[in-house]
Amino acid sequence: MISIKINEQFLQIPENTTFTMNEESPLFLGGDMDKIVTGYSSNIKFPLTRYNMGVLGFPSAIDNYGQIVHEVECIVYNNGWPIAYGIANISKISNTTGTLKLIVNPYKKMKGTQLSELELEEVTLADSAAMRSRAKDTAIHPLDYNYAFFPVYNPGWWVEVPEVANPLSENFYAQRHQNFYNDFGHFSETHKSKAAMPFVRLDYLLSKIVENSDYVIENNFQITDELRSIYIYNNNSIYILNDATGEIEWSNTFVLQDHLPPTTASEFIKWVAKTFALALLPSQERGIFKIDPFQNILDSKEELDWTPYVIEDYGIDQDNKTPQILGYELSPSDGLSESNNYRPFVNYTTVDKTADVDGAPEGLVYVKSTSTYWKKDSTGKKFHHQQFNRIKFDKEPAFLAKLEPLHSIRRYTLPLSGYSFIKWPTVGIRIAGNMRDEDQGAECGMRIMIYRGLHNHEGTDYPYASDANYDPDENPIAGAELSLRWDGEKGLYEKYWKNWLFFLQNRKVVNRTFILPLKDIENFSWEKKVRVGNMLYFVNKLKKRYLSTLDNKVKVEAELSTIIVT
């Protein structure tokens, strides 16, 4: 028997009420990953008795038939067991009858929350010298903090370019840094770009997004120190004007929500999922928000056997809703054309480093360490030909992640900073307190980077962040298992997307009907595989019908995807 609980009271409904719930898998099973799926029920009619009006908090008279007049949290039970949580949309359809439709949207609070509205860590120290000392410590012990200061080179800054004969001089490039330092013992406030900002750790931000939505996070994605070392870029400097001295200097305080991109929590978490092939699995019943790589779900041995409960088999379809391009959305400042962002070449020579291009034969040469192509002519002269940030399979539709990494590494050996700087296609900086309006830059995009800790260059250790698993000299970093580029054996495609796309490209969609015991519905979750006979499936969609004629059982119409893996 169906019962509905609203405001801690049970609504009066007919004993033979049928409840139908339509649900869709949160796993990416083709189509539009930008869509956040929700569940919804069929309409349930109920009498507008005085008791029910009181439960709903309705006024004594409602004149607008058919208009939704109430939204309220609701729990639906079957024989005393909770089967659905959500928001009930209540409408009046006559003087004596109302209707209820349950909407299940676990992302409702996330959709209404900007990242800047989250309650994140606030840091206040004694003075600017203490803040510079803290900045150094975050670079040495990054995982002891929820943020870190480390140098990032930004070629978009052209503030007061010095008149020097050598454009590669240290003074010229010193003013184009964020978190500039004289040497590793001293983060500086003397360079002219006045750019000092903390970068927020991705795992910390994800946990706060989930916590703000009243869940407990279960992050099965960032389980290594390398993955916990992914940071989010921002260009909001903590420099402030010292009223006493008239100088611009490091602030002694900042709040982390001021150093995040301007977007909503739901959009951000969706972009992270698109980049790293992650399943977002919120459970309102358990209050847990699980984040799982698709690869973990493919590898899992956990399955449910629904073979005994099949009553109908009605149709098999080939599914072609598979992305044909994986990549990052382009920023106008990237300088990369739409056609040049995936590898279109067939015949080329592959080398490890840029220096190896000199020894390569005539024609196209692909450099693994920088994900770039060079072109050599018959005289041996070489030209930088193309850098790409997509993997192309056939043709559109494109599947593009909004988050972007650093696109390339530009190397300059300078006495002042002494390591390879990182090129960021952004412009300008923003100074705290709206100081120095002439330096105000555009809002930065959604960009991520991996902080690799201290790396030795010419005998000195320096903090180093990158988009890939190579050091400033284009050598593989020991222990690095991830690149934020799409190509390469440790890139996003190979590490996260390859096997899931193979499953999508080779699956068939099967429609079947089951009469399932309630315990099997209670044990079901979207990441679990379902066995029917000798085949395994992921569930795409469910239509669950709780009928008064079925005792402790549910009629389930299911759309399933066959699982074929490499």
Side-chain angles (χ1 to χ4, degrees):
M1 185 175 71
I2 298 298
S3 55
I4 300 173
K5 191 175 185 179
I6 294 174
N7 294 330
E8 299 301 319
Q9 300 178 78
F10 286 95
L11 204 63
Q12 291 176 340
I13 60 175
E15 288 189 5
N16 62 348
T17 295
T18 295
F19 179 72
T20 301
M21 194 70 196
N22 299 278
E23 298 175 345
E24 188 171 344
S25 173
L27 304 184
F28 175 62
L29 294 168
D32 186 4
M33 197 176 179
D34 282 333
K35 181 179 68 174
I36 292 180
V37 299
T38 59
Y40 61 94
S41 74
S42 57
N43 289 333
I44 299 174
K45 292 183 180 180
F46 61 92
L48 282 177
T49 62
R50 184 177 297 274
Y51 171 82
N52 280 347
M53 298 283 274
V55 170
L56 297 171
F58 277 8
S60 58
I62 303 174
D63 297 325
N64 297 319
Y65 295 175
Q67 178 182 348
I68 294 177
V69 295
H70 208 54
E71 290 189 351
V72 63
E73 292 185 1
C74 171
I75 305 175
V76 179
Y77 295 81
N78 183 61
N79 292 327
W81 188 264
I83 57 174
Y85 298 74
I87 300 296
N89 286 341
I90 310 293
S91 301
K92 180 183 176 183
I93 58 176
S94 76
N95 283 331
T96 60
T97 307
T99 185
L100 177 152
K101 184 172 186 176
L102 184 71
I103 304 296
V104 178
N105 184 1
Y107 294 91
K108 184 174 183 180
K109 193 169 182 180
M110 282 187 197
K111 290 180 73 172
T113 303
Q114 292 285 325
L115 294 183
S116 59
E117 296 172 339
L118 297 172
E119 292 186 11
L120 304 186
E121 183 178 353
E122 180 175 353
V123 179
T124 301
L125 302 177
D127 51 31
S128 61
M131 187 63 75
R132 290 195 303 274
S133 178
R134 169 65 60 86
K136 174 183 175 181
D137 200 52
T138 66
I140 299 173
H141 306 107
L143 296 183
D144 290 347
Y145 300 91
N146 297 318
Y147 58 92
F149 292 78
F150 45 79
V152 172
Y153 172 71
N154 189 328
W157 300 346
W158 295 85
V159 182
E160 300 178 43
V161 177
E163 295 181 3
V164 292
N166 180 8
L168 300 185
S169 74
E170 58 191 46
N171 289 331
F172 179 76
Y173 284 97
Q175 60 189 324
R176 300 172 75 178
H177 277 81
Q178 295 165 232
N179 305 326
F180 171 80
Y181 54 92
N182 286 335
D183 54 62
F184 186 53
H186 182 198
F187 273 91
S188 174
E189 60 184 37
T190 60
H191 72 301
K192 294 181 179 180
S193 63
K194 302 294 184 187
M197 56 279 292
F199 300 122
V200 179
R201 270 173 51 186
L202 176 61
D203 61 335
Y204 169 71
L205 180 57
L206 291 177
S207 70
K208 299 304 287 187
I209 289 173
V210 168
E211 178 186 306
N212 185 70
S213 300
D214 303 321
Y215 292 99
V216 174
I217 194 169
E218 188 178 312
N219 188 343
N220 297 321
F221 160 50
Q222 292 177 276
I223 59 174
T224 66
D225 284 352
E226 181 180 24
L227 290 169
R228 285 189 285 267
S229 298
I230 299 175
Y231 288 80
I232 304 151
Y233 173 77
N234 76 97
N235 65 350
N236 188 19
S237 178
I238 66 170
Y239 272 89
I240 59 172
L241 176 65
N242 185 321
D243 292 329
T245 64
E247 295 293 325
I248 296 176
E249 62 182 32
W250 284 56
S251 172
N252 71 323
T253 185
F254 62 84
V255 290
L256 290 181
Q257 57 260 45
D258 291 342
H259 299 275
L260 295 172
T263 189
T264 63
S266 61
E267 287 296 296
F268 180 82
I269 203 169
K270 184 173 63 180
W271 291 331
V272 173
K274 288 176 67 172
T275 301
F276 295 101
L278 303 176
L280 304 177
L281 301 163
S283 170
Q284 291 177 294
E285 298 92 326
R286 297 186 297 133
I288 293 175
F289 195 106
K290 185 158 65 169
I291 301 175
D292 248 338
F294 291 149
Q295 186 62 55
N296 289 5
I297 295 172
L298 280 175
D299 293 341
S300 174
K301 303 300 182 183
E302 189 172 12
E303 62 181 64
L304 303 172
D305 190 357
W306 288 3
T307 306
Y309 312 117
V310 178
I311 64 167
E312 192 175 349
D313 191 349
Y314 57 99
I316 298 177
D317 299 313
Q318 188 72 40
D319 189 286
N320 294 313
K321 296 178 180 178
T322 306
Q324 300 302 312
I325 296 176
L326 293 178
Y328 293 111
E329 287 187 350
L330 295 177
S331 167
S333 57
D334 288 341
L336 301 173
S337 69
E338 185 76 21
S339 62
N340 284 341
N341 284 298
Y342 48 79
R343 186 185 309 193
F345 308 120
V346 176
N347 299 313
Y348 55 88
T349 302
T350 300
V351 297
D352 292 328
K353 300 181 179 182
T354 304
D356 298 332
V357 175
D358 291 334
E362 178 184 349
L364 288 173
V365 183
Y366 174 68
V367 181
K368 288 167 54 177
S369 61
T370 57
S371 297
T372 54
Y373 286 95
W374 292 78
K375 189 173 184 179
K376 291 188 67 178
D377 62 19
S378 58
T379 67
K381 191 173 182 179
K382 61 184 181 182
F383 308 88
H384 185 264
H385 186 62
Q386 177 178 317
Q387 179 182 6
F388 69 95
N389 65 354
R390 298 186 185 180
I391 296 291
K392 182 176 186 292
F393 306 108
D394 185 15
K395 58 182 180 180
E396 298 291 349
F399 175 75
L400 304 177
K402 188 79 172 182
L403 287 166
E404 295 185 67
L406 302 77
H407 286 304
S408 66
I409 295 177
R410 297 180 63 177
R411 295 190 65 254
Y412 301 102
T413 303
L414 304 178
L416 185 66
S417 300
Y419 83 110
S420 294
F421 304 120
I422 307 305
K423 177 183 178 182
W424 281 94
T426 57
V427 292
I429 58 173
R430 297 189 294 125
I431 305 294
N434 295 319
M435 296 307 304
R436 298 180 65 192
D437 290 340
E438 68 273 18
D439 294 339
Q440 298 299 302
E443 292 282 0
C444 63
M446 303 282 290
R447 300 183 183 276
I448 51 176
M449 50 202 161
I450 303 176
Y451 178 51
R452 298 295 187 181
L454 305 184
H455 277 261
N456 189 277
H457 185 79
E458 297 184 349
T460 304
D461 286 337
Y462 295 99
Y464 177 62
S466 74
D467 65 334
N469 54 310
Y470 294 91
D471 69 13
D473 297 310
E474 299 185 36
N475 297 312
I477 296 173
E481 295 296 326
L482 175 65
S483 166
L484 297 178
R485 301 171 186 165
W486 284 97
D487 70 316
E489 62 183 20
K490 296 187 178 181
L492 296 174
Y493 170 69
E494 196 73 28
K495 294 284 287 186
Y496 290 103
W497 276 105
K498 181 179 180 179
N499 291 335
W500 190 261
L501 286 175
F502 180 88
F503 149 66
L504 290 180
Q505 291 162 349
N506 291 279
R507 69 173 176 164
K508 292 183 178 179
V509 176
V510 177
N511 298 295
R512 284 185 166 168
T513 302
F514 305 85
I515 300 293
L516 289 174
L518 282 177
K519 64 178 179 60
D520 286 81
I521 285 292
E522 294 161 11
N523 291 333
F524 172 77
S525 55
W526 296 103
E527 70 273 24
K528 293 180 181 179
K529 299 167 184 173
V530 167
R531 177 172 294 280
V532 181
N534 61 356
M535 286 298 300
L536 284 175
Y537 302 91
F538 285 122
V539 178
N540 301 355
K541 298 177 182 178
L542 288 177
K543 184 175 184 178
K544 300 186 291 189
R545 301 183 67 195
Y546 295 84
L547 306 173
S548 58
T549 55
L550 292 176
D551 185 25
N552 293 320
K553 293 181 180 179
V554 186
K555 185 176 182 180
V556 176
E557 297 173 12
E559 181 184 286
L560 311 171
S561 285
T562 57
I563 300 175
I564 300 173
V565 297
T566 55

